[in-house]
Amino acid sequence: MPTLHLAELTHANRPAQLPLLSRLADTLATSRAVTHLMVRGSLAHGTADRLSDVDFVVGVHDAELPAFVAALDDLMSTEAGALLPGWRDTIVADLGGVGMVFLVPDDGHLHQIDLYLAPASRIPRLQATVATASLLDRASAPATAEEAAAAARFAAEFLARPRTCTELLIEHLVLAVLLHKRIKRGQRFVAYSEWHRLHTATKDLIKTALAPTSRFWGWYQLREEIALTPIGRACLDDLDAAISGPAVPLATDVDAAIERMLALVERACPEALDGLGSSITAYRTYQELV
C-alpha cells in the first residue's frame, strides 16, 4: 500500500489566515471578560481565499463591555500588532453590540480583522441567527437585567457618537483595503457601494473639520457652509475631484483618493495625524505590496 500524505495536503491547503486566526483567538481568550469566541464569514464556512478577512464574534460579559471596548485598541496594538486604532464598523449589521475593524500585518500582508463585540446576554439569540463556528464557550454568571440594559445602552450610545477627524481618516484607510479586495475579486457592485462610502467619509471629514456644528449633516449646504475660506474651497475641490471619478474604481483610483484625503487632512485638521505618522508610512508600504 502506498503512503498517503493527507496531513501534508491538508496543511498545504489550509487558509493562509489560520495562524493569524489562532494567534488572535489566544489573545482575545486571555481576557476573563470574554465569555464566547466564534468565527463567522468565509473562514467559518470553509470558503476563504487569500484575501478573506478574519471575522470574529466576541461575547463579553455585559457588565464588562464598556471597559473591554475602551481597552480594545491597546490590546490589539500591543498583543496583535494592529497598525491603527480600530474603525467603528458602519457596514456590519446591528446585532446588539459593537463592530470594530483592525488592520493587522502578518506574513508580509495587511489583514482585515473584523471583531463584533456582543454582550454575553445576546449571544444565544445571535447564535440562532448567524452562522458561526465556536472556538470558546466559557461558563459565566448570567447577566442581571440591569447589566443587560446598561450594555445595550452603551452599545447604542457608542454607535451614535459623532466620529472625530482621526476616526474618519482611519475609516478611509480601512475602506481602501476593502476596495482593493473587491477590485481584485471583480466584485463591481460591492466596489461601487464601498467607493460611495469612501466619498461620504470624505464629505463627513470636511464637515467635521470645518463645520462641526452644522445642522445639515448630509450633502446639503456644502458650498454655503464650507466655501467661506480658502481652505474650505480647496477641500470642496478635493471632494469634487473625488465624486467626478469613475463609478467603479480601479486600484489606482483608490490610491489617489487616499493621497488626496491625507493632503486634505493636513490642510484642514492636521491634529488628526498626531501619533499616526509611522503607522501611515507602514500602511502605504503594505498597500504598495498588494
Side-chain angles (χ1 to χ4, degrees):
M1 288 283 293
T3 302
L4 299 177
H5 300 284
L6 294 179
E8 291 87 340
L9 180 63
T10 301
H11 180 82
N13 288 280
R14 68 178 182 167
Q17 299 89 334
L18 199 57
L20 177 59
L21 184 153
S22 177
R23 179 161 59 87
L24 290 170
D26 287 341
T27 295
L28 293 166
T30 57
S31 172
R32 297 301 300 178
V34 173
T35 60
H36 299 79
L37 194 55
M38 297 169 284
V39 180
R40 65 173 179 167
S42 57
L43 283 169
H45 300 146
T47 58
D49 62 21
R50 66 182 184 84
L51 299 174
S52 295
D53 58 325
V54 177
D55 199 345
F56 282 108
V57 175
V58 185
V60 181
H61 196 285
D62 294 52
E64 301 294 332
L65 185 64
F68 189 83
V69 172
L72 189 60
D73 278 343
D74 287 341
L75 176 69
M76 290 298 292
S77 173
T78 58
E79 299 297 329
L83 205 58
L84 296 157
W87 169 55
R88 197 184 341 161
D89 195 342
T90 59
I91 299 175
V92 68
D94 182 4
L95 302 173
V98 172
M100 300 294 291
V101 178
F102 292 87
L103 300 178
V104 174
D106 184 70
D107 195 26
H109 299 285
L110 199 56
H111 293 274
Q112 174 192 339
I113 311 300
D114 294 353
L115 301 181
Y116 194 88
L117 312 172
S121 61
R122 300 276 303 189
I123 292 295
R125 191 181 316 173
L126 192 150
Q127 288 173 319
T129 56
V130 179
T132 59
S134 180
L135 301 180
L136 174 71
D137 190 342
R138 180 183 282 153
S140 63
T144 66
E146 292 79 9
E147 289 171 338
R153 241 182 352 261
F154 166 78
E157 291 169 359
F158 184 87
L159 294 174
R161 176 175 54 79
R163 288 166 294 170
T164 65
C165 287
T166 297
E167 289 173 318
L168 287 161
L169 183 160
I170 293 169
E171 179 168 349
H172 280 81
L173 300 179
V174 172
L175 286 172
V177 171
L178 270 64
L179 278 161
H180 277 293
K181 183 192 311 181
R182 307 309 180 196
I183 292 165
K184 281 182 174 292
R185 286 175 171 166
Q187 296 173 310
R188 289 174 55 80
F189 295 128
V190 185
Y192 168 83
S193 171
E194 291 172 356
W195 189 227
H196 175 69
R197 286 180 182 273
L198 193 87
H199 298 337
T200 300
T202 302
K203 179 266 297 178
D204 290 347
L205 179 54
I206 294 169
K207 294 277 266 189
T208 298
L210 300 180
T213 60
S214 171
R215 294 181 298 110
F216 305 98
W217 191 248
W219 290 83
Y220 296 95
Q221 303 294 321
L222 285 169
R223 292 284 177 199
E224 292 82 352
E225 292 188 329
I226 304 299
L228 304 176
T229 64
I231 287 178
R233 290 189 288 275
C235 289
L236 288 187
D237 286 344
D238 285 337
L239 183 59
D240 192 70
I243 66 173
S244 298
V248 179
L250 301 174
T252 52
D253 298 316
V254 177
D255 293 340
I258 292 302
E259 294 305 318
R260 187 166 53 238
M261 178 275 300
L262 290 172
L264 187 157
V265 169
E266 288 180 349
R267 182 192 313 124
C269 49
E271 67 281 359
L273 293 164
D274 290 349
L276 295 181
S278 59
S279 296
I280 290 172
T281 298
Y283 174 91
R284 282 174 162 142
T285 300
Y286 280 108
Q287 291 301 80
E288 289 170 4
L289 297 175
V290 171

mmCIF file of all heavy atoms in Angstrom, residues 91-121:
data_model
loop_
_atom_site.group_PDB
_atom_site.id
_atom_site.type_symbol
_atom_site.label_atom_id
_atom_site.label_comp_id
_atom_site.label_asym_id
_atom_site.label_seq_id
_atom_site.Cartn_x
_atom_site.Cartn_y
_atom_site.Cartn_z
ATOM 1 N N ILE A 91 -20.719 49.188 8.450
ATOM 2 C CA ILE A 91 -21.268 48.302 7.423
ATOM 3 C C ILE A 91 -21.937 47.083 8.049
ATOM 4 O O ILE A 91 -22.973 46.614 7.591
ATOM 5 C CB ILE A 91 -20.161 47.859 6.441
ATOM 6 C CG1 ILE A 91 -19.563 49.077 5.722
ATOM 7 C CG2 ILE A 91 -20.700 46.862 5.421
ATOM 8 C CD1 ILE A 91 -18.385 48.743 4.823
ATOM 9 N N VAL A 92 -21.352 46.563 9.119
ATOM 10 C CA VAL A 92 -21.851 45.335 9.733
ATOM 11 C C VAL A 92 -23.282 45.535 10.244
ATOM 12 O O VAL A 92 -23.659 46.621 10.677
ATOM 13 C CB VAL A 92 -20.912 44.902 10.886
ATOM 14 C CG1 VAL A 92 -20.994 45.881 12.041
ATOM 15 C CG2 VAL A 92 -21.229 43.497 11.351
ATOM 16 N N ALA A 93 -24.064 44.470 10.190
ATOM 17 C CA ALA A 93 -25.444 44.528 10.688
ATOM 18 C C ALA A 93 -25.451 44.736 12.204
ATOM 19 O O ALA A 93 -24.541 44.298 12.914
ATOM 20 C CB ALA A 93 -26.174 43.232 10.335
ATOM 21 N N ASP A 94 -26.485 45.408 12.683
ATOM 22 C CA ASP A 94 -26.627 45.648 14.122
ATOM 23 C C ASP A 94 -27.129 44.370 14.789
ATOM 24 O O ASP A 94 -28.268 43.954 14.601
ATOM 25 C CB ASP A 94 -27.606 46.802 14.354
ATOM 26 C CG ASP A 94 -27.753 47.137 15.833
ATOM 27 O OD1 ASP A 94 -27.049 46.528 16.658
ATOM 28 O OD2 ASP A 94 -28.590 48.003 16.159
ATOM 29 N N LEU A 95 -26.269 43.766 15.597
ATOM 30 C CA LEU A 95 -26.614 42.536 16.298
ATOM 31 C C LEU A 95 -26.679 42.761 17.806
ATOM 32 O O LEU A 95 -26.572 41.829 18.590
ATOM 33 C CB LEU A 95 -25.582 41.438 15.985
ATOM 34 C CG LEU A 95 -25.405 41.077 14.506
ATOM 35 C CD1 LEU A 95 -24.237 40.119 14.319
ATOM 36 C CD2 LEU A 95 -26.696 40.483 13.946
ATOM 37 N N GLY A 96 -26.819 44.015 18.194
ATOM 38 C CA GLY A 96 -26.924 44.329 19.606
ATOM 39 C C GLY A 96 -25.608 44.643 20.273
ATOM 40 O O GLY A 96 -25.552 44.811 21.496
ATOM 41 N N GLY A 97 -24.538 44.732 19.486
ATOM 42 C CA GLY A 97 -23.230 45.018 20.051
ATOM 43 C C GLY A 97 -22.503 46.091 19.270
ATOM 44 O O GLY A 97 -23.122 47.004 18.730
ATOM 45 N N VAL A 98 -21.179 45.965 19.209
ATOM 46 C CA VAL A 98 -20.314 46.962 18.584
ATOM 47 C C VAL A 98 -19.375 46.259 17.608
ATOM 48 O O VAL A 98 -18.687 45.309 17.982
ATOM 49 C CB VAL A 98 -19.486 47.704 19.658
ATOM 50 C CG1 VAL A 98 -18.449 48.611 19.015
ATOM 51 C CG2 VAL A 98 -20.396 48.489 20.593
ATOM 52 N N GLY A 99 -19.343 46.722 16.366
ATOM 53 C CA GLY A 99 -18.414 46.176 15.376
ATOM 54 C C GLY A 99 -17.186 47.051 15.244
ATOM 55 O O GLY A 99 -17.293 48.275 15.152
ATOM 56 N N MET A 100 -15.993 46.437 15.255
ATOM 57 C CA MET A 100 -14.737 47.160 15.086
ATOM 58 C C MET A 100 -13.886 46.430 14.047
ATOM 59 O O MET A 100 -13.902 45.199 13.976
ATOM 60 C CB MET A 100 -13.964 47.234 16.397
ATOM 61 C CG MET A 100 -14.693 47.930 17.543
ATOM 62 S SD MET A 100 -14.954 49.703 17.247
ATOM 63 C CE MET A 100 -13.264 50.309 17.341
ATOM 64 N N VAL A 101 -13.152 47.209 13.243
ATOM 65 C CA VAL A 101 -12.272 46.636 12.217
ATOM 66 C C VAL A 101 -10.852 47.121 12.477
ATOM 67 O O VAL A 101 -10.620 48.324 12.666
ATOM 68 C CB VAL A 101 -12.720 47.043 10.799
ATOM 69 C CG1 VAL A 101 -11.750 46.484 9.753
ATOM 70 C CG2 VAL A 101 -14.137 46.551 10.523
ATOM 71 N N PHE A 102 -9.909 46.173 12.462
ATOM 72 C CA PHE A 102 -8.495 46.484 12.649
ATOM 73 C C PHE A 102 -7.712 45.988 11.442
ATOM 74 O O PHE A 102 -8.107 45.024 10.788
ATOM 75 C CB PHE A 102 -7.956 45.798 13.915
ATOM 76 C CG PHE A 102 -8.513 46.346 15.188
ATOM 77 C CD1 PHE A 102 -9.704 45.849 15.708
ATOM 78 C CD2 PHE A 102 -7.869 47.364 15.870
ATOM 79 C CE1 PHE A 102 -10.235 46.352 16.882
ATOM 80 C CE2 PHE A 102 -8.396 47.875 17.049
ATOM 81 C CZ PHE A 102 -9.582 47.374 17.557
ATOM 82 N N LEU A 103 -6.596 46.658 11.170
ATOM 83 C CA LEU A 103 -5.677 46.234 10.125
ATOM 84 C C LEU A 103 -4.428 45.695 10.804
ATOM 85 O O LEU A 103 -3.720 46.429 11.499
ATOM 86 C CB LEU A 103 -5.330 47.407 9.199
ATOM 87 C CG LEU A 103 -6.509 48.053 8.474
ATOM 88 C CD1 LEU A 103 -6.038 49.232 7.622
ATOM 89 C CD2 LEU A 103 -7.259 47.040 7.609
ATOM 90 N N VAL A 104 -4.172 44.396 10.596
ATOM 91 C CA VAL A 104 -3.079 43.715 11.301
ATOM 92 C C VAL A 104 -2.098 43.132 10.291
ATOM 93 O O VAL A 104 -2.484 42.305 9.460
ATOM 94 C CB VAL A 104 -3.632 42.601 12.210
ATOM 95 C CG1 VAL A 104 -2.493 41.795 12.838
ATOM 96 C CG2 VAL A 104 -4.521 43.194 13.306
ATOM 97 N N PRO A 105 -0.829 43.531 10.342
ATOM 98 C CA PRO A 105 0.169 42.930 9.459
ATOM 99 C C PRO A 105 0.478 41.497 9.892
ATOM 100 O O PRO A 105 0.564 41.199 11.085
ATOM 101 C CB PRO A 105 1.406 43.820 9.649
ATOM 102 C CG PRO A 105 0.932 45.033 10.368
ATOM 103 C CD PRO A 105 -0.255 44.617 11.166
ATOM 104 N N ASP A 106 0.635 40.619 8.908
ATOM 105 C CA ASP A 106 1.026 39.237 9.196
ATOM 106 C C ASP A 106 1.598 38.623 7.932
ATOM 107 O O ASP A 106 0.962 38.683 6.869
ATOM 108 C CB ASP A 106 -0.177 38.411 9.680
ATOM 109 C CG ASP A 106 0.208 36.994 10.072
ATOM 110 O OD1 ASP A 106 0.881 36.832 11.108
ATOM 111 O OD2 ASP A 106 -0.149 36.059 9.317
ATOM 112 N N ASP A 107 2.793 38.070 8.039
ATOM 113 C CA ASP A 107 3.435 37.371 6.927
ATOM 114 C C ASP A 107 3.521 38.243 5.675
ATOM 115 O O ASP A 107 3.265 37.786 4.558
ATOM 116 C CB ASP A 107 2.680 36.067 6.633
ATOM 117 C CG ASP A 107 3.475 35.118 5.740
ATOM 118 O OD1 ASP A 107 4.715 35.204 5.750
ATOM 119 O OD2 ASP A 107 2.847 34.312 5.021
ATOM 120 N N GLY A 108 3.839 39.514 5.872
ATOM 121 C CA GLY A 108 4.035 40.414 4.739
ATOM 122 C C GLY A 108 2.774 40.982 4.131
ATOM 123 O O GLY A 108 2.840 41.692 3.122
ATOM 124 N N HIS A 109 1.615 40.708 4.742
ATOM 125 C CA HIS A 109 0.345 41.209 4.211
ATOM 126 C C HIS A 109 -0.407 41.959 5.304
ATOM 127 O O HIS A 109 -0.217 41.721 6.504
ATOM 128 C CB HIS A 109 -0.521 40.066 3.680
ATOM 129 C CG HIS A 109 0.105 39.292 2.564
ATOM 130 N ND1 HIS A 109 0.191 39.776 1.273
ATOM 131 C CD2 HIS A 109 0.696 38.074 2.552
ATOM 132 C CE1 HIS A 109 0.807 38.882 0.513
ATOM 133 N NE2 HIS A 109 1.127 37.847 1.259
ATOM 134 N N LEU A 110 -1.281 42.852 4.882
ATOM 135 C CA LEU A 110 -2.131 43.602 5.803
ATOM 136 C C LEU A 110 -3.513 42.947 5.796
ATOM 137 O O LEU A 110 -4.189 42.924 4.772
ATOM 138 C CB LEU A 110 -2.220 45.061 5.352
ATOM 139 C CG LEU A 110 -2.667 46.096 6.384
ATOM 140 C CD1 LEU A 110 -1.764 46.061 7.612
ATOM 141 C CD2 LEU A 110 -2.663 47.478 5.762
ATOM 142 N N HIS A 111 -3.896 42.393 6.940
ATOM 143 C CA HIS A 111 -5.154 41.652 7.022
ATOM 144 C C HIS A 111 -6.227 42.480 7.716
ATOM 145 O O HIS A 111 -5.953 43.209 8.677
ATOM 146 C CB HIS A 111 -4.956 40.339 7.793
ATOM 147 C CG HIS A 111 -4.097 39.353 7.095
ATOM 148 N ND1 HIS A 111 -4.584 38.458 6.163
ATOM 149 C CD2 HIS A 111 -2.765 39.121 7.163
ATOM 150 C CE1 HIS A 111 -3.599 37.712 5.700
ATOM 151 N NE2 HIS A 111 -2.476 38.093 6.291
ATOM 152 N N GLN A 112 -7.439 42.329 7.234
ATOM 153 C CA GLN A 112 -8.595 42.969 7.844
ATOM 154 C C GLN A 112 -9.144 42.046 8.931
ATOM 155 O O GLN A 112 -9.505 40.901 8.665
ATOM 156 C CB GLN A 112 -9.656 43.226 6.783
ATOM 157 C CG GLN A 112 -10.968 43.765 7.322
ATOM 158 C CD GLN A 112 -12.062 43.729 6.259
ATOM 159 O OE1 GLN A 112 -11.781 43.677 5.065
ATOM 160 N NE2 GLN A 112 -13.302 43.731 6.701
ATOM 161 N N ILE A 113 -9.204 42.557 10.158
ATOM 162 C CA ILE A 113 -9.720 41.789 11.292
ATOM 163 C C ILE A 113 -11.027 42.426 11.746
ATOM 164 O O ILE A 113 -11.038 43.566 12.220
ATOM 165 C CB ILE A 113 -8.720 41.758 12.468
ATOM 166 C CG1 ILE A 113 -7.317 41.375 11.980
ATOM 167 C CG2 ILE A 113 -9.218 40.825 13.559
ATOM 168 C CD1 ILE A 113 -7.236 40.024 11.318
ATOM 169 N N ASP A 114 -12.120 41.710 11.586
ATOM 170 C CA ASP A 114 -13.428 42.193 12.000
ATOM 171 C C ASP A 114 -13.769 41.593 13.362
ATOM 172 O O ASP A 114 -13.816 40.358 13.507
ATOM 173 C CB ASP A 114 -14.505 41.788 10.992
ATOM 174 C CG ASP A 114 -14.326 42.457 9.639
ATOM 175 O OD1 ASP A 114 -13.451 43.328 9.520
ATOM 176 O OD2 ASP A 114 -15.063 42.094 8.697
ATOM 177 N N LEU A 115 -14.003 42.437 14.346
ATOM 178 C CA LEU A 115 -14.411 41.978 15.665
ATOM 179 C C LEU A 115 -15.804 42.518 15.957
ATOM 180 O O LEU A 115 -16.006 43.736 15.936
ATOM 181 C CB LEU A 115 -13.443 42.479 16.748
ATOM 182 C CG LEU A 115 -11.972 42.072 16.633
ATOM 183 C CD1 LEU A 115 -11.185 42.642 17.815
ATOM 184 C CD2 LEU A 115 -11.818 40.570 16.577
ATOM 185 N N TYR A 116 -16.739 41.612 16.208
ATOM 186 C CA TYR A 116 -18.058 42.063 16.638
ATOM 187 C C TYR A 116 -18.186 41.726 18.111
ATOM 188 O O TYR A 116 -18.187 40.553 18.493
ATOM 189 C CB TYR A 116 -19.189 41.415 15.841
ATOM 190 C CG TYR A 116 -20.487 42.149 16.071
ATOM 191 C CD1 TYR A 116 -20.825 43.241 15.279
ATOM 192 C CD2 TYR A 116 -21.331 41.801 17.117
ATOM 193 C CE1 TYR A 116 -21.979 43.967 15.524
ATOM 194 C CE2 TYR A 116 -22.490 42.518 17.365
ATOM 195 C CZ TYR A 116 -22.813 43.598 16.568
ATOM 196 O OH TYR A 116 -23.961 44.334 16.822
ATOM 197 N N LEU A 117 -18.262 42.758 18.953
ATOM 198 C CA LEU A 117 -18.304 42.592 20.401
ATOM 199 C C LEU A 117 -19.758 42.635 20.838
ATOM 200 O O LEU A 117 -20.413 43.681 20.741
ATOM 201 C CB LEU A 117 -17.508 43.699 21.078
ATOM 202 C CG LEU A 117 -16.098 43.941 20.494
ATOM 203 C CD1 LEU A 117 -15.483 45.179 21.094
ATOM 204 C CD2 LEU A 117 -15.221 42.742 20.717
ATOM 205 N N ALA A 118 -20.242 41.506 21.323
ATOM 206 C CA ALA A 118 -21.654 41.407 21.698
ATOM 207 C C ALA A 118 -21.775 41.112 23.188
ATOM 208 O O ALA A 118 -20.992 40.332 23.742
ATOM 209 C CB ALA A 118 -22.330 40.285 20.908
ATOM 210 N N PRO A 119 -22.738 41.745 23.863
ATOM 211 C CA PRO A 119 -22.976 41.378 25.269
ATOM 212 C C PRO A 119 -23.293 39.886 25.367
ATOM 213 O O PRO A 119 -24.001 39.334 24.515
ATOM 214 C CB PRO A 119 -24.190 42.227 25.654
ATOM 215 C CG PRO A 119 -24.244 43.327 24.634
ATOM 216 C CD PRO A 119 -23.679 42.759 23.379
ATOM 217 N N ALA A 120 -22.784 39.235 26.395
ATOM 218 C CA ALA A 120 -22.993 37.792 26.542
ATOM 219 C C ALA A 120 -24.479 37.432 26.564
ATOM 220 O O ALA A 120 -24.873 36.363 26.078
ATOM 221 C CB ALA A 120 -22.308 37.301 27.815
ATOM 222 N N SER A 121 -25.309 38.316 27.102
ATOM 223 C CA SER A 121 -26.744 38.035 27.156
ATOM 224 C C SER A 121 -27.372 37.948 25.775
ATOM 225 O O SER A 121 -28.461 37.383 25.613
ATOM 226 C CB SER A 121 -27.465 39.110 27.990
ATOM 227 O OG SER A 121 -27.290 40.397 27.397
#
